[in-house]
Amino acid sequence: MNRNRLFVVAGTLALTAAVAYAQMGGYTAQNLGNSSEGKTLLTVLNDLNKYYLYPVDQDKLLRGAINGAIGSLNDEFTYYTEPSNNEIDAENLSGSFGGIGVTLVGVNGDGTGGKVDNVYKGNAASKSGVQIGDVFVKIGDKDVTGAKLDDIVKLVRGPIGSAVNVTFARQGKPYTVKLTRDKVNIISVEKTVLPGKIGYIALNTFYNEQASAQFREAVADMKKQGVQKLILDLRDNGGGLLSAGVDVADQFLQSGPIVSLRERDAKPQVYGQARNQPSDYTGKLVVLVNKNSASASEVVSGALQDAGRATIIGEQTFGKGVAQIPVTLPDGGKVAIVNSAWLTPKGREIHKKGITPDIVVTDTRYTLPLNFTGGGATPGSKLTITVAGKPVTVTADKDGKFTYTGEVKRPERSSTQGEAVVDTQGDAILKRGIQALQ
């Protein structure tokens, strides 16, 4: 089986209205109208342009048809990415881009707005004094207090050497800085050595073409430091490139299959086979997972569990056991199409099931924030309530209802990319992993 086939551009797709006809040979501009459904689609598109009261956004109309076609499959892992978002996606995959050197999280209850979650040393934001917790107010002249995170990312990224004015708010007080974009490298691996000569490597994503090389360097560094006990942390790793997952698992296995793929109406075929290499890590191994460990993370943990190579500790994993082919489209967008299910070396299909850890432990790093709702207030009025000894102000909506959600506690991250910050006492899964190695 061609190992690269799942991760490279695989051609182009024409606009489709149904799956059954495509399975018989595919649609073309000429034969789309050969079926009643195809004729109906063309008629609806033309009649909207002919009769609809308001101006029709042609791009939005056609992309709506594309999303409708994909949505008919009711498969969350087959999806369309618009051209502008695909550009950001491609940058993330490459592992580097022009930017200001921060990571963002949503600031509003609905996930909109942007707040600085981390500032990386050596990049523009750090040099200008931007701090964790600063809220994006404006980028250039554009107010972004209610913008989607992806839209904020698009505005702050740009050509290396170009400048952008950003207005932040710190504790409610705005300030503006001029930032010159420079090269930002995505480091997907964080590492440290814990007491007792226990190595710790966290792999945050497989969706980075540099992730495999970064992980190999981390493993080599652990071996150089004489580490014979290692913790591999795959918590909150939602996956990415299947080839990267195979490569990571291969560094702990000397022989045997790593994963197999089963396409429609076909027998499973081995996709990744372990090789005995001098760079392999052969010491004692623990793998940490949680409910957000998915896809390639489950490939790695499933292969190591089946081989008896590692003790898996944490929560039941997400359960994404399918692989996708990414297809670049004529408009510059991309569609990811589920084309196969993957199986562990022992033939387990984990889609919608997940990997069950050998030792089950609840992830204590995230606590449910205090939240409450109320009603009966004067519409538009502000109410100040004391929460945990501190005043909290909420605003009632037009129906007199109000809500409050406290800030989610997030694990501390180092401002130095590649450096891990861990809590060996408060992090229950990590603590149990250390115990398993002692």
Side-chain angles (χ1 to χ4, degrees):
M1 179 172 288
N2 180 356
R3 286 184 57 170
N4 293 321
R5 181 168 55 84
L6 294 174
F7 318 112
V8 299
V9 174
T12 59
L13 293 180
L15 176 66
T16 58
V19 176
Y21 189 80
Q23 292 173 352
M24 294 187 291
Y27 287 112
T28 68
Q30 289 71 36
N31 69 20
L32 182 59
N34 288 348
S35 68
S36 60
E37 290 83 3
K39 291 178 181 177
T40 300
L41 172 63
L42 294 173
T43 299
V44 169
L45 293 175
N46 287 325
D47 285 352
L48 285 171
N49 281 298
K50 186 176 181 180
Y51 299 118
Y52 188 59
L53 176 61
Y54 305 103
V56 176
D57 184 326
Q58 300 301 317
D59 290 344
K60 189 175 182 180
L61 180 67
L62 293 175
R63 285 179 180 139
I66 294 169
N67 281 313
I70 293 173
S72 70
L73 302 176
N74 195 29
D75 186 335
E76 63 181 309
F77 301 117
T78 295
Y79 57 88
Y80 167 70
T81 303
E82 293 191 8
S84 59
N85 290 332
N86 195 32
E87 292 177 12
I88 298 296
D89 189 58
E91 290 177 347
N92 291 338
L93 180 59
S94 73
S96 65
F97 51 85
I100 63 174
V102 300
T103 58
L104 288 72
V105 293
V107 68
N108 301 320
D110 59 359
T112 60
K115 180 173 64 174
V116 177
D117 190 45
N118 205 355
V119 183
Y120 292 127
K121 290 180 180 177
N123 289 119
S126 173
K127 295 174 182 177
S128 297
V130 177
Q131 297 179 8
I132 294 173
D134 289 354
V135 175
F136 282 84
V137 178
K138 286 184 178 181
I139 300 175
D141 295 327
K142 185 176 179 62
D143 186 310
V144 294
T145 53
K148 296 179 180 178
L149 271 180
D150 283 350
D151 292 333
I152 296 175
V153 170
K154 292 174 193 174
L155 291 171
V156 296
R157 290 189 186 181
I160 295 172
S162 61
V164 58
N165 291 321
V166 182
T167 299
F168 294 98
R170 182 178 301 165
Q171 297 180 344
K173 297 179 180 180
Y175 72 95
T176 302
V177 288
K178 182 177 182 179
L179 302 172
T180 300
R181 300 180 179 97
D182 53 12
K183 185 176 182 179
V184 178
N185 292 312
I186 300 175
I187 306 299
S188 299
V189 176
E190 298 175 352
K191 60 185 172 65
T192 191
V193 176
L194 305 175
K197 209 69 173 178
I198 296 175
Y200 172 90
I201 303 177
L203 182 55
N204 300 321
T205 181
F206 290 94
Y207 201 74
N208 178 353
E209 292 174 342
Q210 309 304 318
S212 290
Q214 292 171 5
F215 190 78
R216 283 189 174 276
E217 290 177 7
V219 171
D221 183 58
M222 291 295 163
K223 292 177 67 176
K224 188 182 297 183
Q225 296 188 61
V227 167
Q228 291 297 316
K229 299 176 182 179
L230 182 64
I231 294 173
L232 170 58
D233 194 344
L234 296 177
R235 289 177 294 176
D236 299 324
N237 185 326
L241 299 177
L242 182 57
S243 57
V246 168
D247 190 52
V248 167
D250 189 16
Q251 293 176 64
F252 302 107
L253 300 168
Q254 285 68 59
S255 62
I258 293 172
V259 66
S260 296
L261 297 180
R262 179 181 56 76
E263 297 182 358
R264 184 177 62 197
D265 303 326
K267 293 182 179 179
Q269 297 183 49
V270 174
Y271 174 81
Q273 191 85 25
R275 301 159 295 170
N276 191 348
Q277 304 172 91
S279 58
D280 286 350
Y281 172 83
T282 57
K284 199 169 182 181
L285 180 65
V286 160
V287 178
L288 311 183
V289 295
N290 67 359
K291 60 185 177 183
N292 296 321
S293 302
S295 191
S297 293
E298 294 169 298
V299 168
V300 173
S301 54
L304 297 177
Q305 188 179 57
D306 277 7
R309 177 65 184 87
T311 302
I312 313 300
I313 300 177
E315 300 174 329
Q316 188 83 6
T317 62
F318 182 83
K320 180 184 181 292
V322 292
Q324 300 129 301
I325 289 181
V327 182
T328 296
L329 302 172
D331 69 345
K334 181 181 71 176
V335 62
I337 301 175
V338 168
N339 87 307
S340 56
W342 65 260
L343 294 78
T344 70
K346 289 186 176 180
R348 291 185 291 163
E349 289 198 27
I350 62 91
H351 194 51
K352 297 184 179 181
K353 299 176 184 177
I355 299 290
T356 301
D358 301 306
I359 302 174
V360 177
V361 180
T362 299
D363 197 341
T364 57
R365 295 174 303 158
Y366 303 94
T367 56
L368 184 65
L370 176 68
N371 62 90
F372 57 80
T373 61
T378 302
S381 64
K382 294 183 180 296
L383 298 89
T384 299
I385 303 169
T386 300
V387 178
K390 296 182 180 180
V392 172
T393 300
V394 295
T395 302
D397 63 16
K398 61 182 179 62
D399 298 317
K401 298 178 180 178
F402 53 89
T403 62
Y404 169 80
T405 301
E407 188 170 357
V408 178
K409 177 187 175 184
R410 300 179 62 82
E412 185 181 350
R413 303 290 292 273
S414 172
S415 61
T416 301
Q417 290 200 75
E419 180 182 79
V421 176
V422 297
D423 179 1
T424 57
Q425 296 303 312
D427 183 343
I429 294 178
L430 175 60
K431 186 176 182 179
R432 186 65 183 86
I434 294 171
Q435 292 171 353
L437 290 171
Q438 291 174 338

